[in-house]
PDB file of all heavy atoms in Angstrom:
ATOM      1  N   ARG M 343     -49.354 -16.427  -8.477  1.00  0.00           N
ATOM      2  CA  ARG M 343     -48.958 -17.819  -8.052  1.00  0.00           C
ATOM      3  C   ARG M 343     -47.574 -17.760  -7.391  1.00  0.00           C
ATOM      4  O   ARG M 343     -47.333 -18.455  -6.409  1.00  0.00           O
ATOM      5  CB  ARG M 343     -48.937 -18.734  -9.270  1.00  0.00           C
ATOM      6  CG  ARG M 343     -50.337 -19.110  -9.720  1.00  0.00           C
ATOM      7  CD  ARG M 343     -50.339 -20.344 -10.581  1.00  0.00           C
ATOM      8  NE  ARG M 343     -49.348 -20.288 -11.642  1.00  0.00           N
ATOM      9  CZ  ARG M 343     -49.674 -19.797 -12.863  1.00  0.00           C
ATOM     10  NH1 ARG M 343     -50.865 -19.339 -13.106  1.00  0.00           N
ATOM     11  NH2 ARG M 343     -48.719 -19.785 -13.782  1.00  0.00           N
ATOM     12  N   ARG M 344     -46.618 -16.993  -7.964  1.00  0.00           N
ATOM     13  CA  ARG M 344     -45.317 -16.891  -7.369  1.00  0.00           C
ATOM     14  C   ARG M 344     -45.324 -16.269  -5.965  1.00  0.00           C
ATOM     15  O   ARG M 344     -44.632 -16.694  -5.055  1.00  0.00           O
ATOM     16  CB  ARG M 344     -44.391 -16.057  -8.259  1.00  0.00           C
ATOM     17  CG  ARG M 344     -43.991 -16.760  -9.547  1.00  0.00           C
ATOM     18  CD  ARG M 344     -43.048 -15.930 -10.355  1.00  0.00           C
ATOM     19  NE  ARG M 344     -42.670 -16.616 -11.593  1.00  0.00           N
ATOM     20  CZ  ARG M 344     -41.829 -16.135 -12.513  1.00  0.00           C
ATOM     21  NH1 ARG M 344     -41.363 -14.877 -12.284  1.00  0.00           N
ATOM     22  NH2 ARG M 344     -41.525 -16.787 -13.611  1.00  0.00           N
ATOM     23  N   ALA M 345     -46.202 -15.247  -5.793  1.00  0.00           N
ATOM     24  CA  ALA M 345     -46.355 -14.647  -4.475  1.00  0.00           C
ATOM     25  C   ALA M 345     -46.889 -15.615  -3.454  1.00  0.00           C
ATOM     26  O   ALA M 345     -46.468 -15.708  -2.306  1.00  0.00           O
ATOM     27  CB  ALA M 345     -47.203 -13.396  -4.578  1.00  0.00           C
ATOM     28  N   ASP M 346     -47.890 -16.420  -3.880  1.00  0.00           N
ATOM     29  CA  ASP M 346     -48.478 -17.412  -2.944  1.00  0.00           C
ATOM     30  C   ASP M 346     -47.405 -18.466  -2.615  1.00  0.00           C
ATOM     31  O   ASP M 346     -47.340 -18.929  -1.470  1.00  0.00           O
ATOM     32  CB  ASP M 346     -49.695 -18.071  -3.632  1.00  0.00           C
ATOM     33  CG  ASP M 346     -50.853 -17.140  -3.793  1.00  0.00           C
ATOM     34  OD1 ASP M 346     -50.846 -16.096  -3.042  1.00  0.00           O
ATOM     35  OD2 ASP M 346     -51.746 -17.382  -4.658  1.00  0.00           O
ATOM     36  N   ASP M 347     -46.604 -18.908  -3.604  1.00  0.00           N
ATOM     37  CA  ASP M 347     -45.644 -19.909  -3.310  1.00  0.00           C
ATOM     38  C   ASP M 347     -44.489 -19.367  -2.366  1.00  0.00           C
ATOM     39  O   ASP M 347     -44.124 -20.092  -1.468  1.00  0.00           O
ATOM     40  CB  ASP M 347     -44.973 -20.365  -4.652  1.00  0.00           C
ATOM     41  CG  ASP M 347     -44.013 -21.517  -4.406  1.00  0.00           C
ATOM     42  OD1 ASP M 347     -44.466 -22.665  -4.181  1.00  0.00           O
ATOM     43  OD2 ASP M 347     -42.780 -21.264  -4.477  1.00  0.00           O
ATOM     44  N   TYR M 348     -44.151 -18.085  -2.552  1.00  0.00           N
ATOM     45  CA  TYR M 348     -43.128 -17.507  -1.673  1.00  0.00           C
ATOM     46  C   TYR M 348     -43.699 -17.382  -0.275  1.00  0.00           C
ATOM     47  O   TYR M 348     -43.009 -17.645   0.743  1.00  0.00           O
ATOM     48  CB  TYR M 348     -42.785 -16.130  -2.192  1.00  0.00           C
ATOM     49  CG  TYR M 348     -41.836 -15.325  -1.281  1.00  0.00           C
ATOM     50  CD1 TYR M 348     -40.507 -15.668  -1.242  1.00  0.00           C
ATOM     51  CD2 TYR M 348     -42.320 -14.327  -0.501  1.00  0.00           C
ATOM     52  CE1 TYR M 348     -39.631 -14.999  -0.378  1.00  0.00           C
ATOM     53  CE2 TYR M 348     -41.485 -13.603   0.331  1.00  0.00           C
ATOM     54  CZ  TYR M 348     -40.173 -13.950   0.377  1.00  0.00           C
ATOM     55  OH  TYR M 348     -39.294 -13.254   1.189  1.00  0.00           O
ATOM     56  N   ALA M 349     -45.002 -16.972  -0.138  1.00  0.00           N
ATOM     57  CA  ALA M 349     -45.597 -16.867   1.192  1.00  0.00           C
ATOM     58  C   ALA M 349     -45.686 -18.249   1.915  1.00  0.00           C
ATOM     59  O   ALA M 349     -45.540 -18.320   3.113  1.00  0.00           O
ATOM     60  CB  ALA M 349     -47.008 -16.223   1.098  1.00  0.00           C
ATOM     61  N   SER M 350     -45.907 -19.268   1.161  1.00  0.00           N
ATOM     62  CA  SER M 350     -45.995 -20.603   1.772  1.00  0.00           C
ATOM     63  C   SER M 350     -44.658 -21.131   2.261  1.00  0.00           C
ATOM     64  O   SER M 350     -44.635 -21.941   3.220  1.00  0.00           O
ATOM     65  CB  SER M 350     -46.614 -21.611   0.752  1.00  0.00           C
ATOM     66  OG  SER M 350     -45.747 -21.744  -0.357  1.00  0.00           O
ATOM     67  N   HIS M 351     -43.589 -20.658   1.708  1.00  0.00           N
ATOM     68  CA  HIS M 351     -42.222 -21.092   2.141  1.00  0.00           C
ATOM     69  C   HIS M 351     -41.491 -20.036   2.935  1.00  0.00           C
ATOM     70  O   HIS M 351     -40.281 -20.180   3.152  1.00  0.00           O
ATOM     71  CB  HIS M 351     -41.403 -21.463   0.920  1.00  0.00           C
ATOM     72  CG  HIS M 351     -41.947 -22.578   0.133  1.00  0.00           C
ATOM     73  ND1 HIS M 351     -42.046 -23.878   0.542  1.00  0.00           N
ATOM     74  CD2 HIS M 351     -42.520 -22.577  -1.127  1.00  0.00           C
ATOM     75  CE1 HIS M 351     -42.596 -24.658  -0.378  1.00  0.00           C
ATOM     76  NE2 HIS M 351     -42.888 -23.920  -1.442  1.00  0.00           N
ATOM     77  N   MET M 352     -42.245 -18.985   3.365  1.00  0.00           N
ATOM     78  CA  MET M 352     -41.512 -17.866   3.979  1.00  0.00           C
ATOM     79  C   MET M 352     -40.875 -18.214   5.292  1.00  0.00           C
ATOM     80  O   MET M 352     -39.794 -17.826   5.634  1.00  0.00           O
ATOM     81  CB  MET M 352     -42.510 -16.668   4.163  1.00  0.00           C
ATOM     82  CG  MET M 352     -41.870 -15.448   4.782  1.00  0.00           C
ATOM     83  SD  MET M 352     -43.135 -14.158   5.004  1.00  0.00           S
ATOM     84  CE  MET M 352     -43.607 -13.877   3.306  1.00  0.00           C
ATOM     85  N   TYR M 353     -41.594 -19.081   6.086  1.00  0.00           N
ATOM     86  CA  TYR M 353     -41.085 -19.343   7.456  1.00  0.00           C
ATOM     87  C   TYR M 353     -40.473 -20.761   7.549  1.00  0.00           C
ATOM     88  O   TYR M 353     -40.372 -21.285   8.621  1.00  0.00           O
ATOM     89  CB  TYR M 353     -42.269 -19.286   8.399  1.00  0.00           C
ATOM     90  CG  TYR M 353     -42.889 -17.900   8.444  1.00  0.00           C
ATOM     91  CD1 TYR M 353     -44.081 -17.603   7.797  1.00  0.00           C
ATOM     92  CD2 TYR M 353     -42.309 -16.883   9.192  1.00  0.00           C
ATOM     93  CE1 TYR M 353     -44.622 -16.304   7.827  1.00  0.00           C
ATOM     94  CE2 TYR M 353     -42.788 -15.613   9.221  1.00  0.00           C
ATOM     95  CZ  TYR M 353     -44.005 -15.343   8.543  1.00  0.00           C
ATOM     96  OH  TYR M 353     -44.507 -14.108   8.568  1.00  0.00           O
ATOM     97  N   GLU M 354     -40.017 -21.316   6.468  1.00  0.00           N
ATOM     98  CA  GLU M 354     -39.408 -22.631   6.474  1.00  0.00           C
ATOM     99  C   GLU M 354     -38.011 -22.581   7.212  1.00  0.00           C
ATOM    100  O   GLU M 354     -37.620 -23.546   7.818  1.00  0.00           O
ATOM    101  CB  GLU M 354     -39.215 -23.199   5.094  1.00  0.00           C
ATOM    102  CG  GLU M 354     -40.531 -23.663   4.516  1.00  0.00           C
ATOM    103  CD  GLU M 354     -40.298 -24.370   3.170  1.00  0.00           C
ATOM    104  OE1 GLU M 354     -39.142 -24.386   2.692  1.00  0.00           O
ATOM    105  OE2 GLU M 354     -41.233 -24.897   2.579  1.00  0.00           O
ATOM    106  N   GLU M 355     -37.302 -21.439   7.063  1.00  0.00           N
ATOM    107  CA  GLU M 355     -36.020 -21.324   7.661  1.00  0.00           C
ATOM    108  C   GLU M 355     -36.025 -20.902   9.120  1.00  0.00           C
ATOM    109  O   GLU M 355     -35.010 -20.847   9.803  1.00  0.00           O
ATOM    110  CB  GLU M 355     -35.105 -20.313   6.892  1.00  0.00           C
ATOM    111  CG  GLU M 355     -34.968 -20.649   5.433  1.00  0.00           C
ATOM    112  CD  GLU M 355     -34.175 -21.906   5.205  1.00  0.00           C
ATOM    113  OE1 GLU M 355     -33.270 -22.171   6.133  1.00  0.00           O
ATOM    114  OE2 GLU M 355     -34.408 -22.624   4.256  1.00  0.00           O
ATOM    115  N   GLU M 356     -37.240 -20.654   9.657  1.00  0.00           N
ATOM    116  CA  GLU M 356     -37.342 -20.190  11.032  1.00  0.00           C
ATOM    117  C   GLU M 356     -36.925 -21.316  11.987  1.00  0.00           C
ATOM    118  O   GLU M 356     -37.369 -22.442  11.849  1.00  0.00           O
ATOM    119  CB  GLU M 356     -38.726 -19.709  11.302  1.00  0.00           C
ATOM    120  CG  GLU M 356     -38.914 -19.129  12.720  1.00  0.00           C
ATOM    121  CD  GLU M 356     -40.346 -18.614  12.946  1.00  0.00           C
ATOM    122  OE1 GLU M 356     -41.182 -18.826  12.061  1.00  0.00           O
ATOM    123  OE2 GLU M 356     -40.569 -18.060  13.988  1.00  0.00           O
ATOM    124  N   GLY M 357     -36.097 -20.966  12.958  1.00  0.00           N
ATOM    125  CA  GLY M 357     -35.667 -21.956  13.963  1.00  0.00           C
ATOM    126  C   GLY M 357     -34.411 -22.673  13.633  1.00  0.00           C
ATOM    127  O   GLY M 357     -33.887 -23.447  14.422  1.00  0.00           O
ATOM    128  N   LYS M 358     -33.840 -22.487  12.394  1.00  0.00           N
ATOM    129  CA  LYS M 358     -32.655 -23.206  12.042  1.00  0.00           C
ATOM    130  C   LYS M 358     -31.452 -22.692  12.767  1.00  0.00           C
ATOM    131  O   LYS M 358     -30.432 -23.396  12.909  1.00  0.00           O
ATOM    132  CB  LYS M 358     -32.435 -23.089  10.549  1.00  0.00           C
ATOM    133  CG  LYS M 358     -33.330 -24.009   9.732  1.00  0.00           C
ATOM    134  CD  LYS M 358     -32.889 -23.998   8.299  1.00  0.00           C
ATOM    135  CE  LYS M 358     -33.773 -24.908   7.482  1.00  0.00           C
ATOM    136  NZ  LYS M 358     -33.373 -25.006   6.063  1.00  0.00           N
TER     137      LYS M 358
END
Side-chain angles (χ1 to χ4, degrees):
R343 287 201 307 271
R344 290 183 179 178
D346 293 340
D347 185 75
Y348 174 77
S350 63
H351 299 292
M352 183 181 298
Y353 299 101
E354 286 186 356
E355 302 294 329
E356 185 178 4
K358 286 188 177 182

